[in-house]
Amino acid sequence: MNDADLIARTLGGDQAAFERLIRRHFRALHAVVLAHIHDLDEADDVCQDALIRAWRRLAQCRDRDRFPAWLLRIGRNEARRRLAFRSLRRWVGLDEVTSSEMRQGPESDLERAEQRRYLLHGLARLRSRHREVVLLFDLEGYSHREIAQLLRVSEAMSRRLLSDARRRLREVLGDLEGKEGDDGPD
Amino acid sequence: MTDRIDFRPLADGRREDRIVGNAMQAIREKALQPADLWTGIASLAAPALVLAAMIVAVTFIRGGTLAPPTQTIEALVRPPAARLTGLGPSPAPAALLAVLEGM
């Protein structure tokens, strides 16, 4: 059953059809949201909000064969809304920065948390389009053909963006590693 | 591919089940809400109607004969010259002047 069929069934009141639809594209949504949010816990919340918004507005999805691109657009908009809200909260001093890596508990998770922090900081230095491509390809395993459809770019552009993103990310991660090494004890 | 960046620390095998599960639960709850929504609107509408009726009643009374407009009071107190120029003595000296002129 293709996306258009699942959308039609969802609009007919079949919630299970919607669940099948969003599971099909969830990993892409998460990668794109994470590319904008840089915090795993917050990205999870934004994804959930985006899925609910997609359900509410599903009737407005005119080109049903391009549902994934439509869903990713909702994800990006939700992420931007969250970023604006976050900056407002910081501005009025309602909360401190609460990133997921700061809430890691057991020591066994510390190394993994450190790796997460390292990767997220590196990603934050890339352009959003580069982040989206590198996360879709390297984290979620999408092909260039699929990325091209999701992001509405050519396959050649997807390859180029991936190559640039990897090169830039390695540079940034190298810089971060160097700085952390300088800060450490002799 | 050897060139691949290792993003495994960001991966979480249970993420999809958790987030999709939460979203579907929220959707199921929201899907039951339209009846509650209309109940909420009705409960808000009743006090709003009472308030609107009160506003209309007060406006009608103030505009009617029960309370004369303030301009009429001012016209009664101020002497004609002051009314023309918009300046002139305050009401108390004006009243005093009127009494003196009559003497």
Side-chain angles (χ1 to χ4, degrees):
Chain A
M1 198 177 290
N2 63 24
D3 287 352
D5 295 333
L6 289 173
I7 291 171
R9 292 185 69 150
T10 303
L11 294 174
D14 183 354
Q15 290 179 3
F18 185 67
E19 184 169 348
R20 277 184 68 187
L21 183 67
I22 58 177
R23 278 187 184 277
R24 192 176 280 178
H25 304 292
F26 175 78
R27 290 179 301 119
L29 173 68
H30 191 269
V32 165
V33 167
L34 184 61
H36 291 264
I37 289 286
H38 320 309
D39 182 291
L40 283 168
D41 286 349
E42 219 169 350
D44 290 356
D45 288 346
V46 170
C47 280
Q48 191 175 316
D49 292 346
L51 293 175
I52 294 169
R53 190 173 287 267
W55 176 73
R56 281 185 181 154
R57 296 188 175 180
L58 194 59
Q60 295 171 23
C61 178
R62 288 179 200 142
D63 192 350
R64 295 181 180 180
D65 292 327
R66 291 195 167 171
F67 171 78
W70 181 80
L71 180 66
L72 297 194
R73 198 160 59 242
I74 289 181
R76 277 188 210 100
N77 289 339
E78 281 295 316
R80 287 184 190 124
R81 201 170 290 128
R82 179 65 65 106
L83 288 173
F85 180 65
R86 189 201 279 175
S87 63
L88 180 68
R89 283 178 69 91
R90 281 187 190 161
W91 185 70
V92 298
L94 287 178
D95 63 359
E96 297 298 320
V97 180
T98 55
S99 59
S100 57
E101 64 267 22
M102 289 170 67
R103 292 194 289 274
Q104 297 303 319
E107 280 186 27
S108 58
D109 288 343
L110 279 177
E111 192 179 344
R112 194 175 165 86
E114 183 62 21
Q115 289 171 337
R116 271 200 291 265
R117 189 181 68 81
Y118 183 64
L119 283 168
L120 291 170
H121 278 221
L123 279 169
R125 308 267 185 96
L126 268 59
R127 288 183 177 180
S128 62
R129 207 55 154 178
H130 287 130
R131 290 194 295 262
E132 289 182 359
V133 172
V134 76
L135 285 172
L136 283 167
F137 196 96
D138 283 351
L139 173 64
E140 300 295 354
Y142 281 83
S143 68
H144 283 297
R145 194 169 64 85
E146 290 168 324
I147 293 171
Q149 287 172 349
L150 287 169
L151 303 185
R152 305 180 87 161
V153 295
S154 66
E155 284 188 49
M157 177 58 81
S158 174
R159 287 177 204 283
R160 194 176 136 194
L161 287 168
L162 178 67
S163 170
D164 290 349
R166 282 174 171 168
R167 183 171 40 76
R168 176 75 184 127
L169 192 55
R170 287 188 204 287
E171 285 171 9
V172 168
L173 293 178
D175 286 349
L176 285 175
E177 200 167 26
K179 279 181 188 171
E180 291 187 358
D182 293 344
D183 293 342
D186 292 328
Chain B
M1 193 182 282
T2 53
D3 202 24
R4 188 179 286 267
I5 304 274
D6 184 5
F7 281 116
R8 277 175 298 179
L10 302 183
D12 177 357
R14 289 166 296 175
R15 180 179 289 131
E16 180 180 323
D17 285 338
R18 192 174 63 246
I19 297 173
V20 172
N22 288 345
M24 290 309 298
Q25 188 181 343
I27 286 167
R28 276 189 283 273
E29 287 168 3
K30 285 177 195 303
L32 297 175
Q33 274 185 355
D36 298 339
L37 182 67
W38 285 112
T39 309
I41 289 170
S43 66
L44 285 173
L49 281 172
V50 171
L51 184 65
M54 286 173 68
I55 291 169
V56 169
V58 168
T59 307
F60 175 75
I61 290 167
R62 283 178 63 86
T65 53
L66 290 178
T70 50
Q71 225 178 3
T72 312
I73 298 171
E74 196 178 354
L76 286 170
V77 171
R78 282 194 174 194
R83 263 184 278 146
L84 282 173
T85 60
L87 298 170
S90 60
L96 185 62
L97 277 173
V99 171
L100 290 172
E101 279 171 5
M103 282 177 75

